[in-house]
Amino acid sequence: PHEEFLHSNTFLNALKELAGKISGTSPLPEPVGTNFIREIENLDGNERLLRILEEQVDLLAKYKDWTHKAALVAERKPTWDLLEELCDFTSGDVAMEKLLEEMESIQIDRLLLQEPDLVEPLLNKVVEMLREKVNRSKTEYNRIWHEEMVELQANDYFGKLSPEQKHKILIDHQILKEKEIKVLGARELLNDLTRTSLSNWKTAISALPAQFQAALTDAVQLAEPQAKTYSLPRKTLSSQAEIDAYIKDLRSKLEALLKDANSIILK
C-alpha cells in the first residue's frame, strides 16, 4: 500500500475485512485476532500515526499475507462447498469412506489454506467416482431402452401409427430418446445428480419396461380402438390343479372379452 493509504482509516478497515475473510468456521482457520487494530483505532491523532509508523513493517506484512490468503479462500471455498454438495450423493457408499475421512480431516484441522491444496484433488476423486457411477447407470438404462425400443418398433400395432402419433406416445411416456453419456465437470455432475440421484437412476431403470408397455398399450388403442385391456390376476399357485383352474378361469374371461373386442391387451 502507498504510505498515505497505510496511515488512513481505510487501511485499518481493510485489515479487519481481510481478517474476516481468511478465518471463521471450519475448514477456514481459527478466527484471527484483531484487537491490535481496535487499539490503534482508539488512539488519537499523532499517537495513532506514531503507533502505525512503529508497527508499519508488521502491519504491511499482515496486509500482504492476509491479501494472499483471502485470494486462496476466494478460490478454494467454492470448491469446498461444491465438494460438500457432491458428498451428499455418496451416502452409504463404502468405496467413498476413505475420501469422506480425508474431507473430515480437512474440516476438523481447518486445512482449507494448507499448501499444497488438499481440496481440489479430493474433489477430483469424488467427481471421478460419482461420474463413473452415473455413467454406469446411464449405460444400463440405455441398454434396456434399446432392447425395449427395438421390440416396440417391431410391433405391428405401433407400426400402423403415423410418425406424429408415434412421436407423441414416446414423449408422453418419456422414452423418446436414450440418455446422453459424456464427461461431466464437477458443477455439471452436481446439476445432473440433483435432477436424478443414483437411487433415482435405479428406479428409472426398473420402471423403463413398464413405460414401454404403457406406450404399446396406447399404440394398440390408437391402432385398434375396439381393443380391450385385461390385467392378469396375481395369484400364488401351489399345485397342478390350481394351475389348471387358473388357466380355465383366465381362458373363460378372455373369450368373453374377445366377443366385444378385436384385440385384448394383457397387462
Side-chain angles (χ1 to χ4, degrees), residues 234-253:
R234 295 179 179 275
K235 289 186 177 182
T236 301
L237 305 176
S238 305
S239 66
Q240 184 62 49
E242 290 179 352
I243 293 174
D244 293 339
Y246 178 86
I247 293 174
K248 182 179 179 180
D249 181 60
L250 178 61
R251 180 185 181 88
S252 174
K253 289 177 179 177

Side-chain angles (χ1 to χ4, degrees), residues 26-27 77-90 100 103 107 123 126 190:
S26 60
K77 187 59 167 59
T79 303
W80 173 263
D81 293 340
L82 185 54
L83 175 61
E84 282 193 314
E85 290 186 85
L86 282 171
C87 283
D88 288 341
F89 295 97
T90 65
L100 293 175
M103 183 177 175
Q107 185 159 29
L123 175 65
V126 172
L190 177 61

Side-chain angles (χ1 to χ4, degrees), residues 38-54:
R38 283 191 290 274
E39 290 176 4
I40 296 175
E41 289 176 327
N42 289 335
L43 296 174
D44 293 324
N46 291 335
E47 288 185 354
R48 180 188 298 180
L49 177 59
L50 180 61
R51 178 74 171 271
I52 290 175
L53 288 173
E54 290 174 345

Side-chain angles (χ1 to χ4, degrees), residues 78-80 82-84 86 118-129 186-187:
T79 303
W80 173 263
L82 185 54
L83 175 61
E84 282 193 314
L86 282 171
L118 301 176
V119 179
E120 187 169 3
L122 184 55
L123 175 65
N124 291 338
K125 292 178 185 177
V126 172
V127 167
E128 182 179 356
M129 187 169 292
R187 177 59 61 182

Side-chain angles (χ1 to χ4, degrees), residues 10 13 22 28 36 40 56 78 82 104 115 134 153-154 187 214-216 220 240 242 255 266:
T10 304
N13 289 334
I22 66 172
L28 287 166
F36 71 95
I40 296 175
Q56 66 176 330
L82 185 54
E104 185 178 11
E115 294 293 358
V134 168
Q153 295 286 359
R187 177 59 61 182
L216 178 57
V220 173
Q240 184 62 49
E242 290 179 352
E255 287 175 345
L266 297 178

